[in-house]
């Protein structure tokens, strides 16, 4: 008997369901999109136990007739698409005709609907894929879809559902996007009976932004409109007043659908260049309306991605709309935002300094001079015991008194042993790089970044138990909902990060004390950054963000500069301290500090 | 437009008007000073949309007129000239400046492009002694913080009631308040925040004003001062000032009286050892029996201890403050003796003198 069998219909449905409904949040999203497609102006979502027990979405949309109600649970049945040609002109959120059937095959699904004002309605049910006969039910116009015991018959999937808390967080995050994307629709959401969102309908965009992102962002948000090649763009954004460490506060709505799109994100990034510090992102909400034929939303079953017919046009529309706002005079003064950690360590005289050639004449003839040492300089300190010709140093001023010496001439130096490594400083090149012999390997060290790392670590160690400046006047700081949710559960960690805060009201904090060594900061931005830190590494002790940034700048200023001549003893001390450091791979800004040459690399170079 | 005037007076007054000229403005006309010769006077106006200064000098006018001239350039030119009188003649859009044998030509921008001062509406006008204004500003301005995101910290609150004037400032860590009684006064009830920058400029102009009265006009969005022939107008900080009264401690469990000059020396001394990046001027104060000790230490650098005699009432205390904040207070008052009221280690400390009217509240640092 053959081992390959055709799958039965129920199994096929369950597998298909997995694509559309991965998690409770996907179900809620599908149902809300259906309600929006039905023209609802009021949508109520009730969730229980993170959606595992119950998801109920009610709307006041057009509802369904008796015939439609009977059809709606069938696989690939939809009111939104007649034939394949219609796919070219999709303007509704749903169209695949998969959702209800898929959901019904992995849960107990009840749809109660009415398309008239007489209170005459119908109820259809599906239990684990088995349809139950239609019953009459009383209901005002609109639909209510109830999903109970999601994935009860797919244990494998159920196992992967996370805790009620993380599922409801995902739902809340999706809902907040919907609330922003549809300012005209009233949304209410509850979880286990307690209210989560209650956004009044017919709101204007600023009200919605305020509701979801808080007062500070809403106060700073600007709007700009653009049009191009039949596409219309409405952009809301906060730059250059406020920037965040990630794109959490960016949202794209294409033809009414909330999507993730790399093109749009990239266009925003380019538009912000020079106005927002590099590595940071402005808050941006883009509403793009494009002819349905220019867009393919059918990329992914959950429709979270779109494909543009001409991504180029979209890019330049976004760029022009956002950027244009800042060239208009008098609207926002585009203050020049410099990257706070921008370095000014361009070597003053990188490469071969011409002035030093004259000094060269005074140096006694070298017994041998290789090609390599011709172009390099090695400095030894005049007061170094091992330094060569003394008389010379007396005739030249201190700062120019370093003597050119070749490595070949360098007297033998005992390797020093530090942190399990043997090292010997061989010399300084281009006044920027120190060449050392590390356990027999040649290694270049960037003197500026190495010194920066040492100073930074030292400052960090000292400020660990930082004193706190208590606040005399504390005003509540309103935060975005997601930030509030995380921080209110992690007050102690916020304190470690430099801020002593207390929850105030349903989404604000009062700052009671600030790390004494803190520099100036924007509290909304900082709270968001701390929340991100906690989110991305829940178990790691958070960096003291407040002082961290400040220390980075301080370390950069205090560090040895590129282009600075170092004596042998200075180089020894620097390398020794550097090798002792714990986190020594990159500078505080993330640049590499060392480059080690291996035998293999050299062999390849010489084609051995 | 043709006139001549005294070079020294012109330089002096141009330098006053220049304080409201934004040399880095994107709009060329705002980098200029407006010169308006009419009625025997030469008016000089600087205005950057936030603050405006108008000052005037006597001059001999041949033809009246007005024009805007690059401010910094004109001052530089006048600075190198030698003779007492300087002659101005406008030819097309170029100003000829002559003094002795020096001849300069400056490109100008029409006065029509220069923005007018905002219209004053719904105004309250009253007079204040120049000395009151000067002291009020000087004793509070240092506790503002224009860089903070909270707008109200970017200026000093001027709180007027019938016969009382209050100047209040705070940066969130401390609060300075100077109160003046105006017996029999009939001041309007007003509560406005004046930007720190405007006050700084006023401070530079005020010492010349002597005993004079300053005419103050408060409007919804702006405030203006007229003193000694100089008119200063400024936008107000548009923000709600917090209820500052409630942060001023009303009781204390201990008090000590300290000689001001000695205390200044001791705090300065202790702050030397607290200069590092990580300490940022943190010093500890320890009050016991009849002495006060100021200490500080920085790892790998060293430590300091300065002790003074005090007259103490009530409990002992050990508390940490930012030494800069204490020095600000000590530098702002003139009395020989200062008073420090305290309660607990983490409660605000109150600094004042026996002269009523000045209050300085300082939040400690939790070590």
């Amino acid at each position: 008997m053959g081992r390959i069998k055709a799958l039965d219909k129920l199994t096929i449905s369950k597998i298909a369901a997995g694509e559309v409904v991965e998690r409770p949040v996907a179900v809620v999203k599908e149902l809300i999109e259906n309600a929006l497609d039905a023209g609802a102006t009021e949508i109520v979502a009730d969730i229980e136990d993170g959606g595992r027990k119950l998801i109920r979405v009610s709307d006041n949309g057009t509802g369904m007739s008796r015939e439609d109600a009977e059809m709606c649970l069938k696989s690939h049945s939809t009111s939104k698409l007649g034939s394949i040609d219609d796919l070219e002109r999709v303007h509704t959120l749903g169209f695949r005709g998969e959702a209800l059937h898929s959901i019904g095959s992995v849960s107990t699904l009840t749809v109660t609907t009415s398309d008239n004002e007489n209170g005459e309605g119908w109820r259809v049910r599906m239990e684990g894929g088995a349809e139950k006969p239609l019953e009459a039910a009383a209901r005002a116009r609109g639909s209510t879809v109830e999903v109970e015991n999601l994935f009860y018959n797919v244990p494998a999937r159920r196992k992967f559902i996370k805790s009620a808390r993380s599922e409801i967080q995902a739902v809340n995050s999706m809902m907040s996007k919907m609330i922003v994307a549809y300012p005209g629709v009233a949304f209410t959401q509850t979880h286990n009976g307690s209210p989560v969102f209650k956004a009044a309908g017919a709101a204007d965009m600023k009200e919605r932004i305020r509701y979801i992102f808080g007062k500070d962002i809403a106060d700073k948000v600007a709007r700009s409109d653009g049009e191009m090649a039949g596409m219309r763009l409405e952009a809301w954004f906060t730059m250059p007043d406020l920037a965040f460490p990630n794109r959490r506060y960016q949202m794209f709505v294409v033809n009414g659908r909330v999507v993730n799109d790399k093109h749009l994100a990239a266009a925003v990034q380019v538009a912000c260049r020079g106005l927002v510090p590099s590595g940071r992102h402005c808050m941006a909400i883009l509403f793009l309306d494009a002819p349905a034929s220019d867009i393919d939303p059918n990329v992914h079953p959950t429709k979270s991605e779109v494909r543009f017919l001409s991504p180029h046009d979209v890019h330049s529309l976004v760029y022009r709309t956002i950027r244009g706002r800042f060239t208009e005079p008098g609207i926002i003064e585009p203050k020049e935002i410099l990257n706070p950690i921008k370095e000014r360590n361009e070597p003053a005289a990188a490469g071969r300094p011409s002035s030093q050639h004259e000094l060269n004449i005074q140096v006694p003839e070298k017994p041998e001079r290789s090609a390599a040492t011709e172009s390099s300089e090695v400095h030894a300190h005049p007061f170094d015991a091992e330094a060569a010709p003394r008389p010379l140093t007396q005739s030249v001023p201190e700062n120019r008194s370093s003597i050119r010496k070749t490595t070949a001439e360098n007297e033998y130096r005992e390797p020093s042993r530090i942190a399990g490594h043997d090292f010997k400083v061989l010399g300084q090149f281009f006044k920027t790089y120190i060449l050392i012999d590390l356990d027999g390997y040649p290694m270049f060290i960037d003197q500026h970044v190495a010194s920066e790392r040492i100073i930074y670590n030292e400052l960090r160690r000292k400020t660990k138990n930082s004193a706190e400046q208590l606040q005399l006047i504390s005003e509540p700081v309103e935060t975005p909902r997601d930030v509030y949710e995380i921080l209110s559960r992690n007050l102690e960690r916020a304190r470690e990060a430099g801020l002593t805060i207390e929850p105030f009201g349903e989404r604000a904090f009062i700052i009671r004390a600030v790390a004494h060594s803190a520099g100036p900061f924007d509290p909304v931005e900082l709270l968001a950054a701390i929340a991100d830190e906690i989110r991305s590494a829940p178990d790691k002790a958070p960096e003291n963000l407040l002082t961290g940034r400040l220390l980075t700048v301080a370390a950069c200023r205090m560090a040895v500069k590129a282009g600075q001549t170092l004596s042998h003893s200075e180089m020894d001390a620097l390398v020794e301290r550097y090798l002792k450091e714990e986190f020594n791979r990159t500078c505080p800004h993330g640049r590499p500090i060392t480059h080690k040459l291996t035998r293999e690399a050299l062999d390849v170079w010489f084609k051995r | 437009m043709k006139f001549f005037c005294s070079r020294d007076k012109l330089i002096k007054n141009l330098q006053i008007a220049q304080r409201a000229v934004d040399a880095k403005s994107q709009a060329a006309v705002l980098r200029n000073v407006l010169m308006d010769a009419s009625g025997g006077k030469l008016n000089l106006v600087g205005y950057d949309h936030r603050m405006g200064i108008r000052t005037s000098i006597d001059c001999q006018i041949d033809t009246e007129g007005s024009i805007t001239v690059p401010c910094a350039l004109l001052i530089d030119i006048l600075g190198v000239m030698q003779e007492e009188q300087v002659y101005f003649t406008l030819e097309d859009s170029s100003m000829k400046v002559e003094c002795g044998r020096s001849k300069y030509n400056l490109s100008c921008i029409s006065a029509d492009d220069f923005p007018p001062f905002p219209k004053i509406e719904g105004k309250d006008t009253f007079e204040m002694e120049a000395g009151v204004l000067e002291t009020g500003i000087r004793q509070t301005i240092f506790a503002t913080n224009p860089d903070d995101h909270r707008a109200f910290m970017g200026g000093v609150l001027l709180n007027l009631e019938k016969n009382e004037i209050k100047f209040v400032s705070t940066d969130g860590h401390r609060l300075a308040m100077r109160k003046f009684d105006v017996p029999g006064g009939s001041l309007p009830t007003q509560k406005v925040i004046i930007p720190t920058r405007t006050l700084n400029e006023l401070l530079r102009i005020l010492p010349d004003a002597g005993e004079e009265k300053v005419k103050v006009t408060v409007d919804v969005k702006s405030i203006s001062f007229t003193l000694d022939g100089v008119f200063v107008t400024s936008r107000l900080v548009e923000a709600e000032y917090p209820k500052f009264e409630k942060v001023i401690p009303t009781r204390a469990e201990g008090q000590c009286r300290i000689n001001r000059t000695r205390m200044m020396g001791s705090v300065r001394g202790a702050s030397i050892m607290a200069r590092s990046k990580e300490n940022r001027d943190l010093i500890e104060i320890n009050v016991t029996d009849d002495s006060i000790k100021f200490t500080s230490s920085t790892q790998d650098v060293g430590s300091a201890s300065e002790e003074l005699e005090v007259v103490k009432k009530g409990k002992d205390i050990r508390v940490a403050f930012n030494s800069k904040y204490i020095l600000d207070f000590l530098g702002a008052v003139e009395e020989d003796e200062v008073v420090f009221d305290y309660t607990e280690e983490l409660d605000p400390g109150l600094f004042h003198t026996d002269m009523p009217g000045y209050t300085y509240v300082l939040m400690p640092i939790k070590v």
Side-chain angles (χ1 to χ4, degrees):
Chain A
M1 192 178 146
R3 283 187 297 167
I4 298 178
K5 286 178 289 189
L7 292 173
D8 63 77
K9 244 173 106 181
L10 192 59
T11 314
I12 293 173
S13 308
K14 281 192 201 174
I15 292 172
E19 281 180 37
V20 183
V21 288
E22 292 169 306
R23 294 174 62 182
V25 60
V27 175
V28 184
K29 183 165 179 268
E30 285 291 346
L31 299 184
I32 286 183
E33 286 184 348
N34 281 348
L36 290 167
D37 281 344
T41 57
E42 274 177 53
I43 297 176
V44 180
D46 299 303
I47 319 286
E48 276 177 36
D49 194 22
R52 291 184 294 192
K53 200 168 153 209
L54 172 75
I55 296 170
R56 184 197 305 125
V57 174
S58 318
D59 67 60
N60 65 346
T62 51
M64 282 182 274
S65 66
R66 190 192 162 98
E67 296 74 42
D68 286 347
E70 273 186 320
M71 276 301 290
C72 73
L73 299 183
K74 303 265 186 296
S75 168
H76 295 287
S77 67
T78 180
S79 60
K80 300 160 188 177
L81 217 58
S83 68
I84 184 67
D85 294 336
D86 290 349
L87 202 50
E88 296 278 299
R89 317 184 263 278
V90 178
H91 55 88
T92 48
L93 298 177
F95 53 84
R96 293 167 60 104
E98 286 177 320
L100 280 184
H101 179 82
S102 298
I103 296 168
S105 53
V106 292
S107 68
T108 305
L109 173 74
T110 313
V111 180
T112 314
T113 183
S114 166
D115 67 343
N116 54 58
E117 299 293 354
N118 317 331
E120 201 184 330
W122 300 271
R123 176 178 293 131
V124 284
R125 268 172 86 77
M126 198 169 177
E127 267 183 48
E131 268 179 68
K132 296 280 170 329
L134 179 136
E135 300 165 21
R139 200 204 181 286
R141 181 162 32 196
S143 305
T144 301
V145 182
E146 276 175 284
V147 178
E148 290 163 283
N149 301 323
L150 187 62
F151 299 129
Y152 78 99
N153 56 350
V154 196
R157 174 73 66 178
R158 195 161 177 97
K159 251 194 285 182
F160 281 97
I161 297 195
K162 295 181 186 148
S163 68
R165 193 159 77 195
S166 65
E167 291 300 337
I168 195 68
Q169 257 176 30
V171 172
N172 293 353
S173 145
M174 186 276 296
M175 276 300 282
S176 45
K177 285 185 175 165
M178 286 290 187
I179 289 172
V180 175
Y182 291 90
V185 179
F187 286 95
T188 308
Q189 189 207 324
T190 65
H191 185 229
N192 297 336
S194 51
V196 180
F197 293 110
K198 190 156 179 52
D204 76 12
M205 198 55 206
K206 271 216 166 164
E207 254 170 66
R208 280 284 158 101
I209 291 175
R210 195 201 135 106
Y211 183 72
I212 295 298
F213 297 104
K215 183 172 174 300
D216 286 82
I217 291 182
D219 283 350
K220 286 177 180 166
V221 85
R223 177 188 170 157
S224 183
D225 291 68
E227 218 166 319
M228 187 177 169
M231 295 182 287
R232 271 207 325 278
L233 179 71
E234 177 184 330
W236 293 83
F237 48 93
T238 56
M239 83 178 185
D241 299 82
L242 212 52
F244 299 92
N246 55 33
R247 294 205 174 92
R248 187 173 299 281
Y249 302 113
Q250 292 189 354
M251 201 181 125
F252 310 121
V253 185
V254 176
N255 287 357
R257 180 177 287 116
V258 179
V259 297
N260 302 316
D261 186 76
K262 278 192 234 116
H263 282 107
L264 293 171
V268 170
Q269 175 104 24
V270 174
C272 290
R273 200 169 282 161
L275 293 164
V276 168
S278 78
R280 300 179 74 76
H281 306 274
C282 70
M283 170 262 177
I285 302 171
L286 304 185
F287 291 90
L288 181 70
D289 282 322
S293 53
D294 284 2
I295 283 177
D296 179 10
N298 194 16
V299 180
H300 189 268
T302 60
K303 291 166 287 197
S304 60
E305 287 168 29
V306 285
R307 210 170 273 151
F308 294 109
L309 190 67
S310 48
H312 235 85
D313 287 353
V314 174
H315 188 283
S316 59
L317 175 62
V318 171
Y319 179 84
R320 277 211 244 152
T321 308
I322 295 184
R323 197 76 182 183
R325 176 84 183 186
F326 295 96
T327 47
E328 277 176 54
I331 293 180
I332 295 175
E333 289 170 36
K335 55 181 166 191
E336 198 175 334
I337 298 184
L338 293 169
N339 188 344
I341 52 176
K342 193 175 174 187
E343 291 171 70
R344 256 173 282 119
N345 64 334
E346 279 303 304
R352 300 147 128 272
S354 50
S355 59
Q356 298 246 335
H357 280 289
E358 291 171 44
L359 252 174
N360 198 14
I361 305 164
Q362 305 173 5
V363 179
E365 269 307 305
K366 310 289 176 330
E368 50 179 30
R369 191 180 275 216
S370 69
T373 53
E374 280 278 19
S375 63
S376 66
E377 306 155 56
V378 179
H379 301 278
H381 198 273
F383 306 121
D384 194 332
E386 289 153 355
R390 254 322 146 86
L392 181 69
T393 63
Q394 288 158 354
S395 59
V396 264
E398 228 278 292
N399 59 341
R400 307 191 78 208
S401 63
S402 46
I403 307 155
R404 285 177 61 107
K405 281 179 73 186
T406 62
T407 42
E409 193 202 43
N410 198 4
E411 288 167 43
Y412 179 72
R413 296 171 70 92
E414 247 342 288
S416 316
R417 197 166 170 80
I418 273 302
H421 294 289
D422 290 321
F423 82 93
K424 190 167 72 174
V425 170
L426 301 176
Q428 189 192 24
F429 292 83
F430 314 123
K431 293 187 183 175
T432 302
Y433 302 102
I434 299 169
L435 177 61
I436 68 167
D437 168 348
L438 183 75
D439 303 324
Y441 289 91
M443 182 161 93
F444 286 99
I445 300 176
D446 181 327
Q447 64 187 40
H448 171 69
V449 288
S451 148
E452 195 175 19
R453 167 51 79 187
I454 295 165
I455 293 169
Y456 178 78
N457 285 3
E458 201 172 276
L459 289 174
R460 286 293 304 273
R461 275 194 292 273
K462 285 181 183 166
T463 43
K464 221 164 207 173
N465 300 312
S466 174
E468 292 170 84
Q469 169 71 59
L470 302 181
Q471 303 291 297
L472 182 63
I473 289 180
S474 314
E475 301 237 293
V477 180
E478 222 174 78
T479 55
R481 281 171 185 276
D482 57 332
V483 171
Y484 182 83
E485 212 163 285
I486 289 197
L487 288 181
S488 56
R489 282 187 277 113
N490 290 285
L491 295 175
E492 189 46 39
R493 297 206 39 194
R495 207 183 72 80
E496 286 165 34
L499 280 187
T500 306
I501 51 174
E502 271 172 30
F504 182 83
E506 66 177 286
R507 54 191 299 189
F509 292 101
I510 287 211
I511 298 176
R512 290 290 179 211
V514 176
H516 174 58
S517 47
F521 62 93
D522 181 309
V524 181
E525 225 180 290
L526 186 75
L527 288 171
I530 295 174
D532 270 327
E533 187 101 342
I534 295 172
R535 203 173 352 223
S536 58
D539 304 317
K540 202 184 106 207
E543 294 238 331
N544 191 330
L545 291 170
L546 255 179
T547 49
R549 240 180 278 166
L550 194 80
L551 298 185
T552 309
V553 178
C556 184
R557 297 223 177 101
M558 291 158 77
V560 170
K561 303 288 178 296
Q564 190 174 338
T565 306
L566 296 180
S567 67
H568 245 298
S569 52
E570 283 172 317
M571 286 190 274
D572 274 340
L574 181 68
V575 173
E576 196 176 310
R577 285 172 71 196
Y578 168 69
L579 292 174
K580 274 194 221 159
E581 286 303 329
E582 276 174 84
F583 314 102
N584 55 7
R585 307 303 290 267
T586 57
C587 80
H589 314 134
R591 269 169 42 194
I593 298 175
T594 58
H595 180 63
K596 192 155 111 177
L597 292 176
T598 58
R599 162 100 207 202
E600 292 74 24
L602 287 174
D603 283 352
V604 168
W605 171 251
F606 289 104
K607 304 195 191 322
R608 275 182 90 96
Chain B
M1 186 181 182
K2 193 171 176 183
F3 63 94
F4 71 90
C5 61
S6 145
R7 190 173 59 89
D8 280 351
K9 272 194 194 154
L10 181 57
I11 292 181
K12 192 171 152 252
N13 281 273
L14 273 173
Q15 278 166 342
I16 293 174
Q18 188 187 25
R19 286 166 197 161
V21 176
D22 179 3
K24 290 186 189 123
S25 174
Q26 293 301 307
V29 72
L30 293 183
R31 298 194 291 260
N32 285 8
V33 62
L34 174 72
M35 299 177 91
D36 170 56
S38 60
K41 291 265 182 201
L42 173 66
N43 290 307
L44 303 165
V45 183
Y47 186 44
D48 63 3
H49 285 298
R50 291 181 291 275
M51 182 172 76
I53 297 179
R54 182 174 62 224
T55 164
S56 60
I57 55 169
D58 294 327
C59 70
Q60 294 292 324
I61 300 175
D62 191 42
T63 328
E64 295 194 339
S66 44
I67 191 72
T68 77
V69 187
C71 189
L73 214 56
L74 181 58
I75 294 175
D76 286 351
I77 290 172
L78 295 170
V80 298
M81 291 175 164
Q82 306 286 335
E83 305 294 320
E84 170 50 20
Q85 300 289 353
V86 55
Y87 296 79
F88 289 84
T89 318
L90 183 67
E91 289 166 352
D92 296 331
S93 61
S94 172
M95 178 71 95
K96 195 156 83 185
V97 188
E98 288 168 291
C99 180
R101 291 183 165 199
S102 311
K103 272 198 191 105
Y104 289 78
N105 267 300
L106 283 176
S107 287
C108 303
I109 299 174
S110 161
D112 299 339
D113 295 344
F114 200 80
F117 284 171
K119 277 228 170 65
I120 290 172
E121 296 154 14
K123 58 186 174 183
D124 270 325
T125 302
F126 57 94
E127 285 193 331
M128 194 190 280
E129 270 175 43
V132 166
L133 184 59
E134 196 264 341
T135 312
I137 298 172
R138 192 173 44 77
Q139 292 190 329
T140 52
I141 194 165
F142 52 82
T144 63
N145 182 4
D147 296 332
D148 198 275
H149 65 283
R150 287 161 289 189
F152 69 85
M153 293 183 180
V156 172
L157 173 76
L158 178 64
N159 192 70
L160 302 169
E161 275 161 43
K162 200 162 177 293
N163 40 25
E164 186 189 80
I165 302 173
K166 262 188 213 149
F167 294 85
V168 186
S169 67
T170 181
D171 62 5
H173 304 156
R174 54 185 167 157
L175 179 133
M177 180 175 81
R178 176 66 209 233
K179 198 163 82 177
F180 295 95
D181 289 324
V182 187
S186 55
L187 296 168
T189 304
Q190 274 289 4
K191 213 173 171 180
V192 295
I193 309 169
I194 310 168
T196 305
R197 175 176 164 235
T198 305
L199 297 172
N200 264 322
E201 298 310 340
L202 274 177
L203 273 186
R204 294 164 70 170
I205 299 167
L206 275 166
D208 298 340
E211 291 293 294
E212 275 182 58
K213 294 269 189 189
V214 180
K215 196 176 113 192
V216 184
T217 303
V218 181
D219 178 22
V220 191
K221 286 191 170 174
S222 69
I223 189 165
S224 40
F225 304 86
T226 314
L227 57 138
D228 197 24
V230 182
F231 175 80
V232 178
T233 182
S234 164
R235 278 226 302 247
L236 291 167
V237 174
E238 284 178 54
E240 184 78 20
Y241 212 81
K243 293 199 174 62
F244 60 89
E245 296 91 346
K246 67 175 186 190
V247 304
I248 301 170
T250 47
R251 64 181 187 98
E253 287 174 17
Q255 182 185 70
C256 56
R257 304 178 152 270
I258 317 144
N259 178 288
R260 184 175 69 92
T261 3
R262 292 228 183 102
M263 181 166 170
M264 215 166 192
S266 300
V267 174
R268 272 208 192 115
S271 69
I272 294 173
M273 300 310 266
R275 264 182 207 158
S276 61
K277 278 270 180 279
E278 66 272 15
N279 254 332
R280 304 240 286 173
D281 309 306
L282 186 156
I283 63 164
E284 275 195 31
I285 294 181
N286 202 350
V287 180
T288 48
D289 298 331
D290 51 5
S291 85
I292 185 166
K293 210 192 252 174
F294 304 92
T295 54
S296 68
S297 70
T298 298
Q299 203 190 329
D300 304 336
V301 177
S303 63
S305 169
E306 287 271 359
E307 196 170 336
L308 290 178
E309 281 181 11
V310 290
V311 180
K312 191 200 80 171
K313 273 196 292 192
K315 63 184 276 192
D316 293 352
I317 187 131
R318 194 187 175 88
V319 60
F321 287 116
N322 184 324
S323 58
K324 263 198 191 143
Y325 296 168
I326 300 179
L327 289 171
D328 280 341
F329 164 76
L330 296 173
V333 293
E334 278 146 12
E335 288 72 29
D336 290 339
E337 194 175 59
V338 293
V339 186
F340 168 37
D341 289 343
Y342 50 84
T343 304
E344 293 287 343
E345 188 191 348
L346 299 182
D347 289 333
L350 181 69
F351 291 84
H352 57 104
T353 68
D354 283 334
M355 277 281 288
Y358 190 50
T359 310
Y360 188 68
V361 185
L362 182 47
M363 212 57 192
I365 294 164
K366 190 174 161 192
V367 187

